[in-house]
C-alpha cells in the first residue's frame, strides 16, 4: 500500500488525507506528484474520468480542502450556461481567500471578459504565488455550451498567463470530448471502479457508534452479498445499509441473539434485503415508506408499488384510437386488407410474407403510420358509426401529450402527420379487454 | 436590452370602462386561463364564457328578438344569471368536498416529510442516509382540462396550510432548464412579495440585482426571507403562524408527461445537491400512470427522490356526484331532457372525461334554454313562478297555447273548458298555476322513486337497466320505462332475490322515502315497514314449518318399501314440489315487487308526457351537438360541396350531381378534385375547370383552344386555397401533379 509522501506538505496532514480517502491512495499520490509544490506550475488541464461514484468529486474536494490549496469548485449541471458558469467561478474566486462574503455582482458575458476579470481577481486576492485550481464537475455539460468554452478552459493557463490549473471531472472518456477542430490535450487520469473489497472496506469504515466495527462489517458483508449483483453505486449502497440496519439489529436488541450469532442474524435479514431489492431499491416504494413499514413490522405487500398502478382509464374512443394506432404500428400496411375488409378471401401467411417480414414486428418496434390510416382502421374496428368530429382529432393530440402516441417528424399538421404508438403489448391488451376487443386476432405477428 | 427576466409583472392597467380594449384584454386573459396544453395541436374553440359576456351591458339584448319586451327577456336573463350563479357555486362546493380527502393526505405528507427534514443530523442513520427530495406523485387521470382547477385549489390549500412558497410549472413554459429556473424564481419571488407587500425594499433589490437564475441565487433568496421571518416582530409572526417553521418550497409540475427528460433530470440533480440549504418538496401531476416517472427518469436520478403516490377520485365518480347534485334534485327548476343529457354524457364518456366540459355544456344548455324559450321565464321556484304567471302578457299566453303538450291537454278537456282555455287569459293563468304545481309535485316524487328503483336494479346480475343511476334516469325520461323489455327482465330477476338482499334493499328504500320531501310518501313508508316486519316474522315461523314438512315426507318414504310404491311416491313428491304452493316468503316477495312496480308506474312517467314540460326541460339536442361536438371536416365538405347550404343564394341550389358554374371557384375546383384519384394532373384539372366555367358562353366560346388568362389565374388561386385548407399538397412523385390528402377518391 503506497504511503503518501510529499516534501511540500507536513506528514500529519498527509496522514489525515490518507485516512480520508480509503482505496484511492494511488490516485491521490499521482495527483500530488503532478501538482508539485504550491508555487510550482503544473499541468494546464487535468481530465479525470471514471464511473458514477468512483470518488472523483470526493477525492478532489478532500484533497484540495485538506491541503488548503486555493481552488474553485463548480458543478457544470448547476451552472447551465457559459455566462452563469464563468460568473460563478469569478464569484467564488472573490470569496476565495477572504472569509467574508461580499455579494458584489459580476457581469461576464464572454470568455474574453472572463480572462480579463480573472487576472484582476487573482491579483487582488494575492494568489499569484501559488497554483489556483479550477475544478469543473460534470464537465460533459461543457460540450453543450459555446464551442470556444472547452478549448479555452483547457488552455486557461496560457490565456491568462497565471498559475492556474483546470481539473475536469467526468463520467465519460476524453475521446468523446475532443472537438473536431482539435485542442490542447489535457493530462487524463482514470479512476477505476471500487472492487467488492473496496466497497466492503469503505462501507464498514463508518460504523454506528453504538455497535462494534466487526458487527457492522458482518452486516455490510451480507448486504453486499445481496446487492452487489445489481448495484455498485457506493452512495446507493450506503443509503440501503442505513435503511436496513435497524432490522438487522432487531434480534440483538430483543436479546434473541448476540452480536456473534452471524447465522441467526443472516437468517433474519436476508429475506428482508431481498424484498428491499425489489421495492425500495427500484423506488417502487419510497425510503420513508419502507422505514415506516419496518417500524410497524408490516408486510410490504400491503403497500402497492408504483408499477402496480399501471392501469390508465381512457375515454371510449381514445381506447379505440389507441388500439387502432397499435395495429397500424405493428401490422404491415399490406395486411390491412386482410384484417379489415369483410370479403378479403383467404390469404395464407406463408405466401403472403416477404422475406423481411418474417421477423416479428414486435421485436422491431413500432413503425410510423399516417393519420389517414389510423382513422381508417378506427372506423372499421368501432361498431357504430364515428363522425370525424373535432373531439376525435383533439383526442389524438391528447394521446400524443400523454405520451401514448408520439408524433414522428415535426411537419406541419396539415401535411399528413405521422404517428407511432408507444405503448406495450400488455398495456394495449388490458385496454382492449375493457372494450371487449380481441386484439390478438388482429395482430399479424400472432396469426 | 430586455427587461429583467423575472421582474414582477406590471399591475393590470385599469382600462377605461367599456370599449374594445377591455374586451381584447379580457379575451387574452381568458385565453391564458384555459388549458390547451393537453391537446396543444388540436383545434380549439375558445368560447368566451357567458358570465364574462354578461358584464357588457348589451348582453341582455341577445335574449330579445325585435324590440318589444313582451316576452320578458329582461326577467329571463336575470333568472338565467341567478340560476347559473347557484349552480356554479354548487359545483365548486362539490369539487372542494371531493378533493378534500386527497388534499388532506397531501398536506400531511408534506408536513411529515418536512419534519423529517429538520431532524437532527447528528444521528448516525441520518448522516448515512442520502438526502432524498420528498416527492408526491399525484395521479389525476387523463382529463387534463380539469387539472387546472385542481391545481389551483391545491396551491391555495398549500399556501393556507404549509408554506407561502408554491410554484406551479407547466411543460410548455419550460423547454430548457434555463426557462424552468426563470419561471420558478419568478413565481417564488413574486409570491413572497404578495405575502408581504409592505416592505418594497426587497422588490427593489430584486430588480437592481438583475438576479442570475441559478440555484445559488434561489438559495440566497431563501436564506434572506427565512432570516427575516425569524427576526420578525411577534405581532407579525402571528399572521404567518399557520405556516411551518422555515417553510418548504413546493414545486408543482403540472403535466409530468410533457416535460422533457433532460430538463427534469437536470433540475432534480441540481436541487438534490442543495436540498440541505433549500428544503424543496416536489409534486408531480401525472395524467396516465406513475410508471411514467420511471420511464422519464433513469435510476440514477429517480434514486434522488422519495416518491409517494397519491390518487385523486376518478372522474366518473366526480360526474356521478355532479349529476346527483345538479339533476336529481328539486333544488333547480331547470331540467335536461333525455336527448340532451345523453349528448352531454356521451361527450364525457366517449371523448374527454372532463367534468369541467360537462359543466360548461350544462351552462350552454341553460343559456340556450333561457334565450330561445320565451316561456322559460316561468322556470324558477314554484312560489316565484306562480307570481310570474299572473303578470304574463297576452303574447306569452299565446305562446303557452302553442305548446304541443298544452294542446294535448286542451284536447283532452271538455269543450266549454277548451274554449275558455283558448280565449280567456285569466282562466288560462289559473290553469297554468295548477299545472305548474302538478309538475312540481311530479318532480318531488320522481327523484325518490327513481332512487328506490335504482336500489333494486343496481344489485341485479348483469344490470339490465344499467349500473349507474344516470342510465336509469335516461331510460325513465326516454319513454315509459315499464313498457321496456329491460324493465320486464329486471322485475323477473328481482322476483328471484334472496331474503337478506331484499330486506337490506327495503331498508334503503325506507331511508330514501323518509328523507324525501314528497308528501305522498307517508303511506309508502308505512307499507314498506310493514313488509319488513312481515319478513321478520317469516324468519321465526319459516324455520319450524319447513322442518315439519320434510319430516313428514321422510316418514312416508320409510313406510313404503317395495320398489313400485317407492317409485310412485317419489314421482308424486317431485310433482308436488314442482306445483308446490308458493311459500310465504315467495308470496311476500311477489307482493314487494308488485308494490315497487306500482310505484314506478305511478311516479316515473316520462317528463314529456307532462303538460308544460317545455318550460322546465331543455330538449334541443341538435343545437347542443352542433356547438359541443363540432365536425369541421363535415362542415368544410358541406360548404364546398353544397355552397347553397351556407350562402343561401338561389342560383346555387344544387340539382343533383352537376356542377354549377355560378358557384365560387373553390367549390368548382373542389368538386372536380373529388372525382380524381390520389394524384391529380393539374393540366387536366385546369381543362375541366375552364370547361365548367365557360359552359355559360355556349359551345362556340369553348371552341377556342387557349385557356383564358383570367380563368387560369382564377384556377391557380382556387387551387392554392385548397392547399391552404389542407386538401392537397404538391407532390414530388410526378411533375405537374398534386397529391390529395383526403381519401374517398375513386
Amino acid at each position: 500500500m503506497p504511503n503518501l509522501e510529499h516534501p511540500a506538505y507536513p506528514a500529519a496532514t498527509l496522514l489525515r488525507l490518507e485516512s480520508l480517502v480509503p482505496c484511492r491512495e494511488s490516485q491521490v499520490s499521482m495527483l500530488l506528484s503532478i501538482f508539485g509544490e504550491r508555487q510550482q506550475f503544473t499541468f494546464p488541464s487535468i481530465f479525470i474520468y471514471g464511473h458514477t461514484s468512483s470518488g472523483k468529486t470526493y477525492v478532489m474536494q478532500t484533497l484540495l480542502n485538506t491541503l488548503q490549496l486555493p481552488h474553485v469548485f463548480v458543478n457544470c449541471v448547476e451552472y447551465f450556461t457559459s455566462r452563469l458558469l464563468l460568473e460563478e467561478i469569478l464569484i467564488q474566486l472573490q470569496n476565495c481567500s477572504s472569509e467574508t462574503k461580499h455579494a458584489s455582482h459580476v457581469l461576464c458575458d464572454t470568455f474574453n471578459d472572463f480572462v480579463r476579470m480573472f487576472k484582476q481577481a487573482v491579483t487582488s486576492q494575492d494568489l499569484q504565488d501559488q497554483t489556483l485550481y479550477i475544478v469543473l464537475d460534470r464537465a460533459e455539460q461543457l460540450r453543450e455550451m459555446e464551442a470556444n468554452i472547452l478549448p479555452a478552459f483547457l488552455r486557461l493557463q496560457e490565456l491568462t498567463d497565471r498559475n492556474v490549473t483546470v481539473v475536469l471531472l467526468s463520467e465519460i472518456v476524453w475521446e468523446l470530448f475532443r472537438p473536431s477542430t482539435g485542442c490542447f490535450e489535457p493530462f487524463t487520469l482514470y479512476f477505476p471502479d471500487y472492487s467488492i473489497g473496496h466497497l466492503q472496506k469503505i462501507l464498514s469504515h463508518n460504523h454506528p457508534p453504538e455497535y462494534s466495527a466487526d458487527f457492522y462489517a458482518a452486516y455490510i458483508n451480507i448486504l453486499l452479498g445481496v446487492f452487489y449483483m445489481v448495484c455498485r453505486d457506493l452512495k446507493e449502497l450506503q443509503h440501503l445499509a442505513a435503511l436496513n440496519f435497524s432490522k438487522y439489529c432487531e434480534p440483538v436488541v430483543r436479546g434473541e441473539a448476540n452480536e456473534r450469532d452471524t447465522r441467526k442474524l443472516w437468517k433474519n435479514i436476508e429475506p428482508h434485503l431481498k424484498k428491499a431489492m425489489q421495492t425500495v431499491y427500484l423506488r417502487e416504494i419510497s425510503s420513508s415508506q419502507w422505514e415506516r413499514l419496518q417500524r410497524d413490522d408490516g408486510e410490504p405487500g400491503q403497500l402497492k408499488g408504483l408499477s402496480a398502478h399501471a392501469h390508465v382509464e381512457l375515454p371510449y374512443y381514445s381506447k379505440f384510437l389507441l388500439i387502432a394506432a397499435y395495429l397500424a404500428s405493428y401490422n404491415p400496411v399490406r395486411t390491412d386488407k386482410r384484417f379489415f375488409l369483410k370479403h378479403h378471401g383467404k390469404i395464407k401467411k406463408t405466401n403472403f410474407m416477404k422475406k423481411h417480414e418474417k421477423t416479428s414486428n414486435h421485436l422491431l418496434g413500432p413503425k410510423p403510420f399516417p393519420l389517414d390510416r389510423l382513422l381508417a382502421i378506427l372506423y372499421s374496428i368501432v361498431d357504430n358509426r364515428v363522425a370525424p368530429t373535432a373531439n376525435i382529432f383533439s383526442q389524438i393530440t391528447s394521446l400524443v401529450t400523454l405520451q401514448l402516441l408520439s408524433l414522428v417528424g415535426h411537419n406541419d399538421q396539415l401535411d399528413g402527420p405521422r404517428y407511432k404508438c408507444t405503448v406495450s403489448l400488455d398495456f394495449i391488451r388490458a385496454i382492449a379487454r375493457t372494450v371487449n376487443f380481441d386484439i390478438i386476432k388482429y395482430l399479424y405477428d400472432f396469426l | 436590452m430586455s427587461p429583467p427576466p423575472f421582474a414582477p409583472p406590471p399591475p393590470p392597467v385599469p382600462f377605461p370602462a367599456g370599449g374594445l380594449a377591455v374586451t381584447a384584454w379580457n379575451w387574452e386573459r381568458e385565453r391564458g386561463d384555459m388549458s390547451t396544453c393537453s391537446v396543444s395541436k388540436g383545434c380549439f374553440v375558445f368560447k368566451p364564457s357567458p358570465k364574462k359576456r354578461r358584464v357588457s351591458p348589451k348582453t341582455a339584448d341577445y335574449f330579445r328578438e325585435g324590440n318589444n319586451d313582451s316576452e320578458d327577456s329582461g326577467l329571463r336573463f336575470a333568472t338565467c344569471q341567478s340560476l347559473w350563479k347557484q349552480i356554479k357555486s354548487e359545483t365548486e362546493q362539490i369539487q372542494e368536498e371531493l378533493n378534500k380527502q386527497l388534499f388532506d393526505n397531501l398536506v400531511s405528507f408534506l408536513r411529515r416529510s418536512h419534519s423529517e427534514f429538520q431532524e437532527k443530523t447528528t444521528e448516525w442513520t441520518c448522516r448515512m442516509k442520502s438526502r432524498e427530495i420528498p416527492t408526491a406523485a399525484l395521479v389525476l387521470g387523463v382529463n387534463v382540462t380539469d387539472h387546472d382547477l385542481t391545481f389551483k385549489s391545491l396551491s391555495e390549500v398549500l399556501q393556507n396550510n404549509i408554506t407561502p412558497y408554491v410554484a406551479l410549472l407547466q411543460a410548455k413554459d419550460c423547454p430548457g432548464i434555463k426557462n424552468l429556473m426563470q419561471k420558478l424564481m419568478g413565481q417564488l419571488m413574486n409570491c413572497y412579495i404578495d405575502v408581504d407587500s409592505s416592505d418594497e425594499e426587497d422588490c427593489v433589490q430584486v430588480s437592481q440585482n438583475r438576479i442570475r437564475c441559478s440555484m445559488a441565487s434561489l438559495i440566497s433568496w431563501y436564506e434572506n426571507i427565512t432570516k427575516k421571518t425569524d427576526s420578525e416582530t411577534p405581532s407579525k409572526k402571528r399572521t404567518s403562524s399557520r405556516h411551518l417553521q422555515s417553510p418548504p418550497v413546493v414545486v408543482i409540475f403540472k403535466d409530468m408527461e410533457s416535460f422533457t427528460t433532460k430538463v427534469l433530470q437536470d433540475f432534480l440533480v441540481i436541487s438534490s445537491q442543495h436540498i440541505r440549504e433549500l428544503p424543496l418538496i416536489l409534486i408531480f401531476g401525472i395524467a396516465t400512470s406513475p410508471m411514467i416517472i420511471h420511464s422519464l427518469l433513469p435510476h440514477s436520478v429517480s434514486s434522488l427522490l422519495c416518491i409517494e403516490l397519491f390518487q385523486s377520485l376518478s372522474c366518473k365518480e366526480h360526474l356521478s356526484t355532479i349529476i346527483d347534485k345538479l339533476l336529481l334534485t328539486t333544488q333547480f327548476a331547470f331540467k335536461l331532457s333525455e336527448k340532451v343529457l345523453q349528448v352531454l354524457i356521451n361527450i364525457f364518456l366517449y371523448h374527454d372525461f372532463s367534468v369541467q366540459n360537462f359543466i360548461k355544456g350544462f351552462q350552454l344548455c341553460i343559456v340556450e334554454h333561457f334565450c330561445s324559450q320565451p316561456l322559460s321565464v316561468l322556470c324558477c321556484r314554484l312560489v316565484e313562478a306562480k307570481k310570474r304567471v299572473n303578470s304574463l302578457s297576452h303574447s306569452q299566453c299565446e305562446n303557452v297555447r302553442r305548446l304541443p303538450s298544452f294542446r294535448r291537454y286542451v284536447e283532452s278537456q271538455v269543450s266549454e273548458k277548451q274554449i275558455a282555455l283558448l280565449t280567456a287569459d285569466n282562466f288560462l293563468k289559473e290553469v297554468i298555476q295548477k299545472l305548474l304545481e302538478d309538475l312540481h309535485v311530479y318532480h318531488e316524487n320522481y327523484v325518490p322513486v327513481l332512487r328506490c328503483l335504482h336500489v333494486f336494479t343496481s344489485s341485479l346480475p348483469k344490470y339490465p337497466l344499467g349500473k349507474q343511476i344516470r342510465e336509469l334516469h335516461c331510460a325513465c325520461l326516454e319513454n315509459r320505462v315499464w313498457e321496456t323489455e329491460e324493465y320486464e327482465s329486471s322485475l323477473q330477476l328481482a322476483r328471484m332475490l334472496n331474503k337478506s338482499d331484499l330486506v337490506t334493499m327495503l331498508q334503503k328504500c325506507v331511508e330514501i322515502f323518509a328523507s324525501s320531501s314528497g308528501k305522498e310518501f307517508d303511506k309508502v313508508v308505512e307499507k314498506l315497514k310493514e313488509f319488513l316486519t312481515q319478513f321478520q316474522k317469516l324468519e321465526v315461523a319459516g324455520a319450524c314449518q319447513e322442518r315439519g314438512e320434510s319430516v313428514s315426507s321422510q316418514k312416508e318414504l320409510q313406510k313404503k318399501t317395495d320398489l313400485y310404491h317407492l317409485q310412485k311416491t317419489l314421482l308424486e313428491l317431485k310433482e308436488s314440489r314442482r306445483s308446490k304452493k308458493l311459500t310465504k316468503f315467495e308470496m311476500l316477495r311477489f307482493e314487494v315487487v308488485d308494490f315497487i312496480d306500482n310505484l314506478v308506474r305511478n311516479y316515473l312517467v316520462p317528463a314529456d308526457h307532462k303538460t308544460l314540460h317545455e318550460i322546465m326541460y331543455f330538449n334541443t339536442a341538435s343545437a347542443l351537438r352542433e356547438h359541443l361536438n363540432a365536425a369541421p371536416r363535415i362542415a368544410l365538405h358541406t360548404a364546398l360541396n353544397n355552397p347553397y347550404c351556407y350562402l343561401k343564394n338561389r342560383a346555387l341550389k344544387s340539382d343533383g350531381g352537376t356542377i354549377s358554374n355560378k358557384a365560387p371557384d373553390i367549390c368548382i375546383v373542389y368538386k372536380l378534385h373529388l372525382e380524381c384519384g390520389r394524384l391529380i394532373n393539374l393540366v387536366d384539372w385546369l381543362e375541366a375547370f375552364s370547361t365548367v366555367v365557360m359552359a355559360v358562353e355556349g359551345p362556340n366560346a369553348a371552341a377556342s383552344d387557349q385557356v383564358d388568362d383570367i380563368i387560369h389565374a382564377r384556377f391557380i388561386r382556387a387551387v392554392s386555397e385548397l392547399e391552404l385548407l389542407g386538401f392537397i399538397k404538391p407532390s414530388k412523385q410526378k411533375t405537374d401533379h398534386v397529391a390529395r390528402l383526403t381519401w374517398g377518391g375513386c
Side-chain angles (χ1 to χ4, degrees), chain B residues 550-584:
Chain B
S550 64
V551 166
S552 68
S553 64
Q554 208 72 19
K555 265 181 191 165
E556 225 150 87
L557 269 181
Q558 283 165 359
K559 257 196 305 196
K560 320 279 178 190
T561 40
D562 66 301
L563 197 65
Y564 172 74
H565 275 111
L566 180 67
Q567 206 173 9
K568 206 177 159 190
T569 27
L570 277 176
L571 272 176
E572 263 171 19
L573 249 170
K574 203 176 169 191
E575 198 66 14
S576 76
R577 257 188 212 147
R578 197 176 289 157
S579 64
K580 195 171 59 177
K581 259 179 71 188
L582 296 168
T583 63
K584 271 193 178 171

Side-chain angles (χ1 to χ4, degrees), chain B residues 505-566:
Chain B
M505 281 177 205
L506 283 178
Q507 276 161 348
K508 269 188 212 163
C509 292
V510 169
E511 272 170 39
I512 290 169
F513 285 120
S515 62
S516 77
S517 54
K519 285 143 203 145
E520 302 169 22
F521 290 130
D522 293 345
K523 269 186 193 162
V524 175
V525 173
E526 243 168 61
K527 184 77 188 163
L528 286 172
K529 279 184 180 160
E530 199 186 308
F531 280 133
L532 278 173
T533 48
Q534 277 178 336
F535 273 121
Q536 262 165 7
K537 273 184 203 160
L538 267 184
E539 229 161 279
V540 185
C544 43
Q545 192 191 358
E546 257 171 49
R547 207 184 306 134
E549 225 168 71
S550 64
V551 166
S552 68
S553 64
Q554 208 72 19
K555 265 181 191 165
E556 225 150 87
L557 269 181
Q558 283 165 359
K559 257 196 305 196
K560 320 279 178 190
T561 40
D562 66 301
L563 197 65
Y564 172 74
H565 275 111
L566 180 67

Side-chain angles (χ1 to χ4, degrees), chain A residues 14-245:
Chain A
L14 288 177
L15 211 61
R16 191 152 53 90
L17 180 63
E18 194 179 331
S19 72
L20 284 174
V21 287
C23 312
R24 281 283 171 258
E25 292 86 357
S26 63
Q27 282 79 14
V28 171
S29 79
M30 177 70 149
L31 281 172
L32 278 181
S33 49
I34 294 169
F35 287 177
E37 290 173 29
R38 275 172 186 276
Q39 72 286 359
Q40 285 168 346
F41 271 75
T42 165
F43 255 88
S45 45
I46 300 169
F47 180 82
I48 299 176
Y49 68 104
H51 259 262
T52 323
S53 77
S54 50
K56 304 174 295 287
T57 314
Y58 174 74
V59 165
M60 267 325 278
Q61 235 159 2
T62 345
L63 179 66
L64 295 171
N65 282 331
T66 326
L67 301 182
Q68 292 178 329
L69 301 170
H71 66 275
V72 169
F73 211 102
V74 187
N75 188 326
C76 296
V77 178
E78 192 179 336
Y79 300 94
F80 36 82
T81 65
S82 61
R83 214 188 97 200
L84 281 175
L85 184 69
L86 299 177
E87 285 177 0
E88 178 62 23
I89 294 174
L90 290 173
I91 290 172
Q92 284 198 25
L93 200 57
Q94 281 177 353
N95 304 332
C96 195
S97 57
S98 51
E99 288 302 305
T100 51
K101 275 193 172 180
H102 5 251
S104 70
H105 194 68
V106 206
L107 267 182
C108 175
D109 278 325
T110 63
F111 212 90
N112 198 22
D113 289 343
F114 174 72
V115 169
R116 182 172 48 79
M117 289 158 89
F118 181 80
K119 282 191 212 166
Q120 282 172 5
V122 168
T123 333
S124 65
Q125 298 287 322
D126 245 5
L127 292 170
Q128 293 103 318
D129 53 347
Q130 44 186 332
T131 316
L132 175 73
Y133 296 92
I134 297 179
V135 186
L136 302 175
D137 200 356
R138 307 284 299 257
E140 58 269 15
Q141 293 289 324
L142 288 179
R143 299 179 302 168
E144 271 147 51
M145 297 178 186
E146 287 87 334
N148 68 333
I149 297 289
L150 180 62
F153 266 123
L154 291 172
R155 345 176 135 246
L156 191 64
Q157 199 176 74
E158 182 187 328
L159 289 170
T160 54
D161 198 18
R162 293 288 183 279
N163 190 357
V164 59
T165 289
V166 176
V167 183
L168 304 173
L169 305 181
S170 175
E171 286 176 14
I172 55 178
V173 292
W174 168 248
E175 279 66 32
L176 295 170
F177 276 74
R178 197 179 284 136
S180 53
T181 48
C183 65
F184 182 83
E185 291 285 318
F187 176 83
T188 54
L189 182 64
Y190 176 58
F191 273 43
D193 285 352
Y194 290 117
S195 68
I196 188 164
H198 286 160
L199 288 174
Q200 167 85 37
K201 191 176 166 195
I202 299 168
L203 286 171
S204 322
H205 194 68
N206 262 322
H207 66 91
E210 49 280 26
Y211 292 96
S212 72
D214 284 347
F215 179 66
Y216 192 66
Y219 167 63
I220 292 297
N221 198 10
I222 296 170
L223 183 89
L224 282 176
V226 176
F227 280 103
Y228 186 69
M229 291 300 284
V230 291
C231 172
R232 299 181 183 192
D233 187 328
L234 185 59
K235 268 183 239 156
E236 186 72 22
L237 284 171
Q238 201 170 32
H239 182 68
L240 288 166
L243 274 187
N244 295 307
F245 187 59

Side-chain angles (χ1 to χ4, degrees), chain A residues 75 78 87 105 238-239 281 283 286-287 291-292 307 309 316-317 372 390-391 394-395 398 401 415, chain B residues 38-39 128-130 132 212 273-274 289 291 299 303 307-309 349-351 629-630 729 741 743:
Chain A
N75 188 326
E78 192 179 336
E87 285 177 0
H105 194 68
Q238 201 170 32
H239 182 68
Y281 168 66
R283 295 303 188 274
S286 73
S287 3
E291 279 187 315
R292 245 174 289 143
S307 45
H309 298 264
Y316 188 72
Y317 283 144
D372 284 348
N391 276 327
S394 70
Q395 264 169 289
S398 288
T401 47
D415 212 23
Chain B
S38 75
V39 284
M128 298 308 283
K129 260 190 298 181
S130 42
E132 292 170 322
R212 312 171 319 133
Q273 260 161 7
H274 295 284
S289 85
M291 292 291 282
H299 183 253
S303 66
I307 308 164
E308 273 188 45
L309 192 68
L349 289 179
Y350 285 170
H351 294 299
N629 208 1
K729 70 170 182 182
L741 290 171
W743 24 272

Side-chain angles (χ1 to χ4, degrees), chain B residues 47-99:
Chain B
K47 290 190 294 286
S49 76
K51 199 188 139 224
K52 284 259 167 74
R53 205 203 287 158
R54 274 181 218 127
V55 174
S56 67
K58 289 191 174 174
T59 321
D61 294 349
Y62 288 122
F63 281 65
R64 189 183 306 165
E65 280 171 31
N67 278 327
N68 58 335
D69 195 24
S70 61
E71 297 189 332
D72 306 302
S73 62
L75 195 56
R76 255 155 56 206
F77 174 66
T79 321
C80 170
Q81 231 178 344
S82 76
L83 178 68
W84 170 239
K85 215 178 273 171
Q86 273 178 40
I87 286 177
K88 196 170 171 238
S89 70
E90 178 83 24
T91 54
E92 276 164 7
Q93 205 186 332
I94 291 170
Q95 172 133 32
E96 211 168 279
E97 280 165 19
L98 290 179
N99 280 333

